[in-house]
Amino acid sequence: MEYSNVVLDAEVARQQLAERIARASAPRVPATTYRHLLAQRLRRAATRIDN
């Protein structure tokens, strides 16, 4: 039983490491783009509320 816990822990750690590497190697989205998209969504929501 103890052996399987060690194997499971190792597998979880491996997956977490793989996710962190994938996130780190993904291209960074500039904050300006994020703010632009957010502003666009807010404008659309405001337009819907106004109409």
Side-chain angles (χ1 to χ4, degrees), residues 1-9:
M1 190 70 172
E2 187 61 35
Y3 170 75
S4 63
N5 286 341
V6 170
V7 172
L8 289 176
D9 288 346

Side-chain angles (χ1 to χ4, degrees), residues 30-46:
T32 52
T33 304
Y34 175 77
R35 284 197 299 266
H36 173 74
L37 292 172
L38 180 61
Q40 202 173 37
R41 279 189 297 240
L42 289 172
R43 277 194 299 271
R44 283 190 198 132

Side-chain angles (χ1 to χ4, degrees), residues 12-30:
V12 168
R14 191 190 65 75
Q15 287 179 359
Q16 287 176 340
L17 189 60
E19 288 171 15
R20 288 169 75 184
I21 291 169
R23 278 198 303 270
S25 60
R28 301 284 296 169
V29 177

Side-chain angles (χ1 to χ4, degrees), residues 42-51:
L42 289 172
R43 277 194 299 271
R44 283 190 198 132
T47 303
R48 270 188 241 125
I49 290 169
D50 288 344
N51 292 338

